[in-house]
């Protein structure tokens, strides 16, 4: 059977590109076309080398894992190890799904001339089979993630937090925000973001009503007795969000925060309360945001 290397390169280039693009869709990440091409080309070249070479190294599991890490890193340029690991996981899930669809199509089409070498299928089946497999796999992947996401109800994402400060306590209904990795930059303590209006029973109104002045370094409107009690606990917390890349919150170190989720009661002594000067929701479904770190 005659196998053309240009066909091998094109087929694998297309498949790798679609897998990377499908991964980006699931992760909701914008990705440059040039990065997709470069990453896919590396995978396609490896496929050709696996076919033409008899060296056992090309069938080495660790080399394949390293190659996938390189492809993901080039495609997505992650900012940290945690993000990279998440991208690699989705990349593998997508690849396994595509592989399953490919096996199914090969079984249905039943090409007479087909061989497998170093995990690479080669045969004289048309290129449109590759596109068909990619379309089916992408549709299954997107549908599956939508179903899983829809099963995560708002109730599952809510928890109650009791915040204690200077012998006062307030109870806040918070939403678990998986993207909330906010920390106070000096101490590294996790931050619970809370609406300022939910804190009037905990923090003096002279502080809550003058957050912008405090951010500007102006404490003239704060009485001396309040300064002596609270000024040492105040923190400045930089943050980034949609529409505001260089924001700043006034924070205050709580004496204690008790998180209640389902049957769990988790107590934290080292927590910063970030005071948000607006409403988090239009209907007031929750008054604060808590990161998953504080659920452990």
């Amino acid at each position: 059977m005659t196998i053309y290397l240009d066909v091998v390169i094109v087929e694998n280039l297309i498949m790798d590109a679609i897998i990377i693009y499908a991964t980006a869709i699931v992760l909701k990440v914008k990705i440059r076309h040039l990065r997709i091409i470069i990453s896919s080309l590396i995978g396609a070249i490896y496929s050709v080398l696996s076919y033409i070479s008899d060296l056992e190294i090309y069938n080495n599991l660790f080399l394949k894992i390293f190659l996938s890490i390189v492809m993901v890193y080039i495609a997505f340029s992650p900012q940290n190890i945690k993000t990279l690991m998440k991208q690699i996981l989705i990349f593998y899930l997508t690849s396994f799904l595509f592989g399953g669809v490919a096996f199914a199509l090969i079984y249905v089409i039943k090409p007479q001339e087909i061989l497998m070498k170093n995990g690479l299928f080669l045969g004289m089946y048309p290129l449109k089979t590759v596109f068909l497999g990619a379309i089916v796999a992408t549709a299954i992947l997107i549908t599956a993630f939508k179903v899983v996401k829809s099963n995560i109800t708002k109730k599952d994402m809510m928890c109650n937090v009791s915040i204690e400060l200077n012998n006062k306590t307030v109870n806040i209904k918070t939403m678990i925000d998986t993207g909330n990795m906010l920390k106070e930059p000096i101490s590294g303590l996790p931050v619970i973001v809370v609406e300022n209006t939910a804190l009037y029973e905990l923090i003096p109104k002279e502080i809550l009503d003058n957050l912008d002045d405090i951010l500007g370094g102006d404490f003239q409107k704060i009485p001396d007795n309040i300064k002596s009690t609270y000024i040492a606990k105040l923190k400045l917390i930089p943050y980034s969000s949609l529409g505001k890349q260089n924001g700043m919150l006034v924070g205050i170190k709580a004496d204690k925060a008790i998180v209640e989720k389902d049957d769990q009661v988790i107590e934290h002594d080292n927590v910063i309360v970030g005071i948000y000067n607006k409403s988090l929701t239009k209907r007031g479904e929750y008054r604060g945001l808590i990161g998953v770190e504080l659920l452990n």
Side-chain angles (χ1 to χ4, degrees):
M1 178 175 58
T2 303
I3 300 295
Y4 298 96
L5 292 182
D6 56 344
V7 174
V8 177
I9 292 177
V10 171
E11 287 182 349
N12 282 274
L13 181 65
I14 292 173
M15 284 298 296
D16 289 340
I18 296 176
I19 290 173
I20 293 170
Y21 189 71
T23 302
I25 292 175
V26 173
L27 291 169
K28 295 183 179 180
V29 174
K30 290 185 178 180
I31 187 171
R32 295 181 179 180
H33 293 141
L34 180 60
R35 286 185 174 275
I36 295 178
I37 294 172
I38 295 174
S39 179
S40 303
L41 187 59
I42 290 175
I45 291 173
Y46 175 83
S47 299
V48 172
L49 292 176
S50 298
Y51 171 66
I52 64 177
S53 175
D54 293 325
L55 296 177
E56 286 295 326
I57 189 173
Y58 289 110
N59 201 30
N60 185 278
L61 176 62
F62 294 103
L63 179 61
K64 292 180 179 180
I65 293 174
F66 176 75
L67 177 71
S68 63
I69 293 173
V70 171
M71 291 176 64
V72 170
Y73 188 86
I74 291 174
F76 296 99
S77 185
Q79 300 299 313
N80 51 61
I81 296 295
K82 186 175 181 179
T83 303
L84 175 62
M85 296 306 294
K86 179 180 179 181
Q87 292 169 346
I88 291 173
L89 175 62
I90 301 300
F91 177 79
Y92 272 117
L93 288 175
T94 307
S95 300
F96 292 153
L97 178 59
F98 274 51
V101 173
F103 271 114
L105 287 175
I106 290 173
Y107 177 79
V108 172
I109 296 172
K110 295 181 179 179
Q112 294 181 352
E113 294 184 333
I114 188 170
L115 62 86
M116 182 177 181
K117 183 176 181 181
N118 288 341
L120 178 67
F121 273 106
L122 300 168
M124 298 307 294
Y125 45 92
L127 193 58
K128 62 183 180 182
T129 305
V130 176
F131 283 107
L132 179 59
I135 292 171
V136 172
T138 302
I140 293 174
L141 186 71
I142 294 174
T143 303
F145 271 88
K146 283 184 177 180
V147 170
V148 171
K149 187 176 180 180
S150 65
N151 287 331
I152 302 176
T153 64
K154 286 188 176 181
K155 183 179 179 180
D156 296 326
M157 300 299 291
M158 298 294 178
C159 66
N160 292 318
V161 178
S162 298
I163 301 172
E164 298 182 14
L165 177 65
N166 294 339
N167 298 318
K168 296 179 181 179
T169 303
V170 292
N171 296 312
I172 309 293
K173 187 176 183 180
T174 64
M175 186 184 81
I176 302 168
D177 183 6
T178 57
N180 180 11
M181 302 177 67
L182 197 60
K183 294 182 183 296
E184 198 275 320
I186 297 177
S187 64
L189 296 179
V191 176
I192 302 174
V193 179
V194 181
E195 295 177 0
N196 65 329
T197 55
L199 296 170
Y200 276 106
E201 296 180 9
L202 188 72
I203 302 172
K205 66 177 183 178
E206 288 84 356
I207 292 177
L208 296 174
D209 292 343
N210 295 285
L211 294 175
D212 290 336
D213 292 337
I214 293 174
L215 286 172
D218 183 2
F219 294 88
Q220 294 182 3
K221 297 179 182 179
I222 312 298
D224 291 338
N225 63 320
I226 293 178
K227 285 183 184 178
S228 62
T229 304
Y230 290 91
I231 197 71
K233 294 178 178 288
L234 295 180
K235 312 290 181 182
L236 294 181
I237 307 166
Y239 73 95
S240 296
S241 64
L242 185 63
K244 192 158 190 174
Q245 296 300 316
N246 298 300
M248 191 73 70
L249 292 176
V250 174
I252 189 166
K253 187 179 184 302
D255 295 333
K256 186 184 295 183
I258 301 174
V259 182
E260 298 179 28
K261 172 64 177 169
D262 298 328
D263 295 330
Q264 287 186 307
V265 178
I266 308 162
E267 186 174 311
H268 297 278
D269 294 326
N270 295 309
V271 174
I272 304 295
V273 178
I275 307 171
Y276 189 60
N277 208 16
K278 297 179 182 178
S279 297
L280 292 170
T281 65
K282 292 182 179 180
R283 299 180 180 179
E285 294 97 331
Y286 53 88
R287 309 293 297 279
L289 296 173
I290 183 173
V292 292
E293 178 182 354
L294 293 173
L295 297 176
N296 300 320

